Amino acid sequence: IFLEIAVGDWSNIFGREYLGVKGGLITLPYILFMSAMIVGRLSISRILRYLPINKATNIGSVTGGIFFIIGILASLIIGDTHPNIAFTLFTLGCFIGGLGTSFVTPSFFNAASARSPLPSSVVIGQIGLINNFLIFGGKWVVAWTAQFTSLAVALLIPGLMALSVPLFSKALLSGNAKGEAV
């Protein structure tokens, strides 16, 4: 979820301050990120024909995290000399980051509902409450990192968080889905 929050909150500031983008074009990374999230969430059933959910989540989150980080770093490296290419790379990193991480959050919500004896609405409410606290704390961490280092370094945090998803993806397997493509 935090990659979603970071792109929504800070991608415009990054584009304006680091890449010199002005006007309406500055919203393009966010628009493409959210479009990729929608496409990814609507397409997950096709992916699950070939891969189990935990493997799809591993591949998606690592790919999304790597491309998001590469987009930030590449745009910083060439931003002074080629600002349009830098903005394109950042936007591409946001798009692939959104596509890769699109189905991760719903997958964990689904796994939690499948594992709990409580009704799904209660489980979703509990996870939502925990997420609110974690997002609040995460925003503080990113904001203070941006304050003491730079926004570019702070934006690497959500990318690194996406790379850590495989550490937790075994939780996605429940009951009859043990390692089999659904």
Side-chain angles (χ1 to χ4, degrees), residues 78-102:
I78 65 169
D80 291 336
T81 56
H82 304 342
N84 291 335
I85 295 173
F87 183 67
T88 301
L89 291 173
F90 176 64
T91 302
L92 182 65
C94 288
F95 177 77
I96 296 174
L99 193 60
T101 60
S102 62

Side-chain angles (χ1 to χ4, degrees), residues 25-100:
L25 191 60
I26 202 165
T27 61
L28 190 60
Y30 178 70
I31 291 169
L32 289 179
F33 180 88
M34 292 311 286
S35 298
M37 294 285 285
I38 292 167
V39 168
R41 287 181 180 172
L42 292 175
S43 303
I44 186 62
S45 60
R46 288 187 215 137
I47 294 170
L48 293 181
R49 291 183 200 150
Y50 306 104
L51 290 171
I53 188 65
N54 67 321
K55 287 189 173 53
T57 300
N58 290 347
I59 292 168
S61 62
V62 169
T63 303
I66 286 172
F67 273 89
F68 184 73
I69 290 170
I70 288 172
I72 292 169
L73 295 176
S75 66
L76 288 175
I77 292 169
I78 65 169
D80 291 336
T81 56
H82 304 342
N84 291 335
I85 295 173
F87 183 67
T88 301
L89 291 173
F90 176 64
T91 302
L92 182 65
C94 288
F95 177 77
I96 296 174
L99 193 60

